[in-house]
Amino acid sequence: MNYSNIFKMKTKLLLSIFLGSLMLSFSGFAQKKKQPNVLFIAVDDLRAELGTYGSEVVLSPNIDKLASVGVQFNKAYVQQAICGPSRASILTGSRPETINVIDLFQDFRANRPSIVTLPQHFKENGYETVYAGKVFHGQYTDNEMSWTRKPVKVKLNSNVPKTAGGYALAESQLMYQENKKALEDKYGEKLIRENWLDKGPALESADVPDETYEDGYNTLSAIATLNEMVENDKPWFLALGFKKPHLDWIAPKKYWDLYDETKIPIATQVNPPKDGAAMGLSESLELRVSADMPKTGKFNTELQQKLRHGYYACISYIDAQVGKMIQALKDSGEYENTIIVFWSDHGFNLGEMGYWGKATNYEIATRVPFIITAPGITDKTKGQKTDALVELLDLYPTLCDLTGLETPSNLEGKSLVPILQNPSMKSQKPAFSLFPTPALREWAARPFTPPFRTTFFKPLILKIENKIKAQMGDKWNRRTYEQFVMGYAMRTDDYRIVIWKDRRKPKETPLFIELYDHINDPNETVNIAAENPEKVKELVTQFNETY
């Protein structure tokens, strides 16, 4: 017997088995996908007025396309209609009162030092986390705790003009500087700076590249960062935050040119709700502060069309950036393994109820566009729209569910994965929003400072207070209404109720109640609380049991 040949045969057999096993192992490793990435797109002041939401005016082809491959939420609500509290709520999964953030100058991290934010949770679970643009509000960016790296700084071409005060045009920059100097000479530099009163024009249309302004630049930065991150094997959470269509309404000229201003319709519902709360609406201070806006009085038809034109141009500008970002994601090869979330921090009244701004407890300000695409989950439901009531508070647990991460026990929202799988589901809960005395706290959701009351806003502030006094009678007390009154809104499928309370006395009879019938009065034109005591009692009980 030739033992040498037998040995060789056995060796070959063992080697082939080993190599086969190795190949299967590598094959299995290659087929195993990393955890899904997350592209987290945040937009500032964007109301639910897009092509995909039924607008016949707004041109938003890229966002519309995103909705066509995901699930669109038609009844999504934020927890407070102003930037800071809304974003803090979304990113911590907590209601504004839970984290004690109800104005622009409260830090959730100071109030709840150990709370784990959404990007922080992903970071602690092996994700690369990074943001470009506005995600958290202002200075409260939580850089140390929430993010693993900084975005790429893109070098701009020499043909991109520099801006001053956010403006590209020389005449806009001049108006800004002249207005700033005039106000400082009259009221003092400290008052003007601390109250953000040094503004230029509300609108600008300049024939410049997209990246001239922050949102265009931040998109390039996010794309460059994406291209770096795909080079390694770690999953990533990339947040891209757009500042428009927040005031000022500034966008490159080509987006203004998409619209015929003379054909832009203006609001037809121009009065506050009949028998509504006088404390529920302010006097459009955020817009009036612009150098070229009327400080008192109404906005004429021509000006309203011009303002809407600017708002819509900003939406189309943002839409183009969304298109660039998603195309870059496709080009990177990561599109099929990336969850995309598109949301806004609150809406904005464009003359409805006679108001220009966001600081209210009403439908237009609290309802927002909200779209999710999730490979493997929305493949069978893509393009569908759901009318189930949801809160932006639900976003945190939803992303945990979609990526297989453990959901922190302190979150106050619910996963929306069941709705993504079955968009025809009925509402599982009401949606809650709040705002502290909007009429007296529109400006940053914080009481007007005594110096602020001496400025050009004084006549409007007196007008606001007199309206509240006339309605509330002997219940009126300035300190109480400035400091402690909170409006709590609960949106059910058929109604919106707004319960106005003194926060120090939550169990006492509410100071005022508003009730709107969304079946027969979707624009909230008439408060029907007085005529419907039984429905009010039912909804107040529901609020007390569920909020």
Side-chain angles (χ1 to χ4, degrees), residues 43 46-64 67 72 245 259 311-312 314-316 318-319 342-344 367-371 385:
V43 189
L46 178 61
R47 63 199 231 155
E49 188 173 9
L50 299 162
T52 187
Y53 278 86
S55 175
E56 296 180 354
V57 179
V58 174
L59 300 173
S60 51
N62 295 293
I63 300 170
D64 299 348
Q72 173 179 313
Y259 300 90
Y311 185 85
Y312 296 155
C314 286
I315 294 176
S316 294
I318 292 307
D319 178 80
F342 177 91
W343 58 274
S344 170
R367 176 174 169 249
V368 295
F370 183 34
I371 300 166
K385 300 177 181 181

Side-chain angles (χ1 to χ4, degrees), residues 235-388:
W236 44 262
F237 180 106
L238 171 58
L240 173 56
F242 296 114
K243 290 189 175 180
K244 300 305 171 194
H246 190 290
L247 281 166
D248 300 310
W249 294 326
I250 293 171
K253 180 178 179 295
K254 61 183 175 182
Y255 301 107
W256 289 75
D257 292 345
L258 296 173
Y259 300 90
D260 181 346
E261 188 172 293
T262 63
K263 294 181 180 179
I264 292 177
I266 62 173
T268 55
Q269 176 202 359
V270 295
N271 297 311
K274 184 177 183 295
D275 299 324
M279 67 188 102
L281 283 169
S282 190
E283 289 286 338
S284 310
L285 305 186
E286 184 182 7
L287 177 57
R288 292 185 189 278
V289 75
S290 295
D292 55 347
M293 289 296 110
K295 302 307 177 207
T296 59
K298 296 182 179 181
F299 299 85
N300 64 40
T301 299
E302 183 181 356
L303 179 55
Q304 289 189 55
Q305 285 183 307
K306 190 177 293 293
L307 292 170
R308 282 187 169 234
H309 189 180
Y311 185 85
Y312 296 155
C314 286
I315 294 176
S316 294
Y317 170 47
I318 292 307
D319 178 80
Q321 311 317 304
V322 170
K324 291 176 186 177
M325 188 70 239
I326 294 176
Q327 185 57 53
L329 179 62
K330 291 178 178 178
D331 294 341
S332 75
E334 291 288 328
Y335 178 79
E336 298 297 335
N337 193 41
T338 300
I339 297 160
I340 304 175
V341 179
F342 177 91
W343 58 274
S344 170
D345 57 359
H346 47 73
F348 199 94
N349 282 50
L350 295 172
E352 295 87 0
M353 299 184 174
Y355 176 62
W356 294 80
K358 62 247 189 176
T360 81
N361 277 307
Y362 300 125
E363 184 80 0
I364 293 175
T366 58
R367 176 174 169 249
V368 295
F370 183 34
I371 300 166
I372 297 177
T373 71
I377 301 294
T378 58
D379 297 348
K380 295 181 180 180
T381 56
K382 63 182 180 181
Q384 294 189 37
K385 300 177 181 181
T386 175
D387 289 326

Side-chain angles (χ1 to χ4, degrees), residues 403-416:
T403 55
L405 301 188
E406 183 179 349
T407 302
S409 60
N410 63 292
L411 301 187
E412 296 182 273
K414 293 183 178 180
S415 172
L416 300 176

Side-chain angles (χ1 to χ4, degrees), residues 323-513:
K324 291 176 186 177
M325 188 70 239
I326 294 176
Q327 185 57 53
L329 179 62
K330 291 178 178 178
D331 294 341
S332 75
E334 291 288 328
Y335 178 79
E336 298 297 335
N337 193 41
T338 300
I339 297 160
I340 304 175
V341 179
F342 177 91
W343 58 274
S344 170
D345 57 359
H346 47 73
F348 199 94
N349 282 50
L350 295 172
E352 295 87 0
M353 299 184 174
Y355 176 62
W356 294 80
K358 62 247 189 176
T360 81
N361 277 307
Y362 300 125
E363 184 80 0
I364 293 175
T366 58
R367 176 174 169 249
V368 295
F370 183 34
I371 300 166
I372 297 177
T373 71
I377 301 294
T378 58
D379 297 348
K380 295 181 180 180
T381 56
K382 63 182 180 181
Q384 294 189 37
K385 300 177 181 181
T386 175
D387 289 326
L389 289 163
V390 303
E391 301 175 287
L392 269 285
L393 195 69
D394 300 326
L395 184 48
Y396 193 153
T398 301
L399 286 175
C400 290
D401 207 353
L402 288 172
T403 55
L405 301 188
E406 183 179 349
T407 302
S409 60
N410 63 292
L411 301 187
E412 296 182 273
K414 293 183 178 180
S415 172
L416 300 176
V417 169
I419 297 176
L420 292 175
Q421 294 171 325
N422 180 17
S424 63
M425 279 183 66
K426 301 296 184 183
S427 301
Q428 303 299 299
K429 61 177 182 177
F432 299 97
S433 307
L434 56 77
F435 207 101
T437 325
L440 295 173
R441 293 173 63 133
E442 176 194 2
W443 205 245
R446 150 172 300 209
F448 304 140
T449 63
F452 185 90
R453 290 173 168 275
T454 68
T455 68
F456 49 79
F457 283 140
K458 182 177 180 179
L460 289 181
I461 294 173
L462 292 174
K463 178 183 176 183
I464 291 166
E465 290 187 348
N466 288 334
K467 284 166 62 177
I468 300 174
K469 288 178 189 176
Q471 184 177 68
M472 302 307 296
D474 58 9
K475 293 181 182 178
W476 164 256
N477 175 281
R478 179 193 284 175
R479 180 172 178 272
T480 295
Y481 280 74
E482 277 188 340
Q483 300 285 348
F484 304 112
V485 172
M486 179 71 77
Y488 296 93
M490 182 176 75
R491 180 68 159 87
T492 67
D493 285 320
D494 297 342
Y495 293 93
R496 171 181 297 276
I497 188 168
V498 186
I499 304 168
W500 296 94
K501 294 184 179 186
D502 184 333
R503 296 177 71 200
R504 299 168 299 180
K505 308 168 185 176
K507 295 185 179 180
E508 289 193 1
T509 301
L511 297 166
F512 197 87
I513 290 180

